[in-house]
Amino acid sequence: MTRRSDDSVARSTRRRFLQRAALGAATLGLAGCDRLSQNERVIGTLSLAETLNLRVQRFLAGARGMAPEYPASMIDAPFRPNGSTDPQASRYRELAANDFAEWRLSVDGLVETPLSLSLAELRALPARTQITRHDCVEGWSAIGQWQGPVLADLLDRAGVRDEARYVVFHCMDQLGDEDFYYESLDLAEARHPQTILAYSLNGETLPVANGAPLRLRAERQLGYKMAKYLSGITLVTDFDAIGGGRGGYWEDRGYTWYAGI
């Protein structure tokens, strides 16, 4: 077996392990195991595992290590949707009814120049096209071709202030008519060259079921990090005043914040 094949097998094995670990952590927090999920020793162990995962990935792959990319022959069409597939929030329905002509993406918070960009303006920016594999915490995967501007380019355009540490993504969908979805990345992951804001899937306009008009693709992360139905991006120092304070919708419900694969 070649070295390249060895590396490929190792990556695949690690991805499967992390998927199972994340699912186990989520189950602990969400399936009614209150006694364990409130146990300080258990919480500390999960937190340690998350920190170790981040450090190991950054050490092995480096801050700019690339996720695998695939040939067009391996694209899954249609690409499997998951989670929210048809948001019913009134503002989203209004925007979708007009093909998102009035939709805008805001970039604010700890930036020098807040931005407000239409879909047409985003499409006019330099774009990256990549064919990558989406790994869901539920255990399935799918390969798709994504296109959109590199997030780092937008951050540079806005001018990130020195005190910013995280990028928060605000969404227009609700799960179970509860809170609006949101997610976050640290600046290292947000600035990765494969972290893009996708408006296209498999060469076509991004379907509603897959996150139209715009979704995050952070290719070194599990699927729940890749927020759909984006409406805004905010640069912050911490998550204390956002949602449940853990950096994401599912993180507030027990998932680990760092989901690197």
Side-chain angles (χ1 to χ4, degrees):
M1 180 178 290
T2 65
R3 173 62 182 274
R4 184 174 182 181
S5 297
D6 289 340
D7 291 343
S8 178
V9 170
R11 282 196 301 266
S12 178
T13 300
R14 184 168 182 270
R15 282 170 179 253
R16 287 196 298 270
F17 169 78
L18 292 172
Q19 287 173 343
R20 291 165 183 161
L23 181 58
T27 302
L28 175 65
L30 298 175
C33 299
D34 294 334
R35 180 176 60 84
L36 289 178
S37 64
Q38 294 174 15
N39 184 287
E40 292 184 4
R41 180 175 297 179
V42 172
I43 293 172
T45 299
L46 292 175
S47 178
L48 178 62
E50 177 183 10
T51 301
L52 180 62
N53 181 24
L54 187 154
R55 290 179 178 175
V56 168
Q57 187 198 57
R58 296 278 167 84
F59 175 76
L60 293 177
R64 299 178 70 83
M66 303 291 279
E69 297 192 20
Y70 300 87
S73 61
M74 295 183 68
I75 289 174
D76 290 306
F79 187 92
R80 176 177 175 173
N82 195 40
S84 297
T85 58
D86 189 21
Q88 295 301 305
S90 59
R91 181 54 179 161
Y92 183 83
R93 303 310 304 172
E94 292 171 2
L95 292 168
N98 197 26
D99 291 329
F100 303 104
E102 298 178 2
W103 172 91
R104 301 189 76 84
L105 177 75
S106 62
V107 182
D108 56 25
L110 297 175
V111 297
E112 300 295 341
T113 306
L115 305 176
S116 178
L117 301 169
S118 68
L119 190 56
E121 289 172 325
L122 285 167
R123 287 182 173 276
L125 296 175
R128 175 182 171 86
T129 301
Q130 56 198 31
I131 300 175
T132 53
R133 191 175 74 186
H134 179 102
D135 288 298
C136 181
V137 70
E138 296 172 352
W140 58 269
S141 298
I143 293 175
Q145 181 188 75
W146 308 93
Q147 183 179 38
V150 176
L151 177 57
D153 292 344
L154 267 68
L155 298 180
D156 289 342
R157 184 172 176 178
V160 178
R161 290 165 53 181
D162 291 342
E163 59 268 38
R165 295 181 58 202
Y166 301 101
V167 182
V168 178
F169 303 90
H170 306 285
C171 307
M172 296 181 286
D173 62 316
Q174 297 168 283
L175 296 181
D177 295 324
E178 296 181 10
D179 300 330
F180 281 91
Y181 202 89
Y182 80 102
E183 255 304 337
S184 62
L185 299 172
D186 63 13
L187 278 172
E189 205 67 36
R191 287 191 173 279
H192 188 269
Q194 289 173 307
T195 299
I196 69 173
L197 302 178
Y199 49 66
S200 173
L201 169 59
N202 292 344
E204 303 289 343
T205 298
L206 185 66
V208 167
N210 297 104
L214 195 72
R215 69 170 295 164
L216 174 67
R217 293 301 306 176
E219 304 300 354
R220 304 194 306 176
Q221 300 284 307
L222 286 170
Y224 66 86
K225 299 295 290 186
M226 303 192 204
K228 301 187 294 185
Y229 313 111
L230 292 180
S231 62
I233 295 173
T234 304
L235 280 291
V236 300
T237 56
D238 56 55
F239 311 129
D240 292 351
I242 303 172
R246 293 181 175 271
Y249 178 92
W250 284 117
E251 289 87 332
D252 290 341
R253 291 157 176 80
Y255 280 54
T256 57
W257 172 77
Y258 184 71
I261 51 178

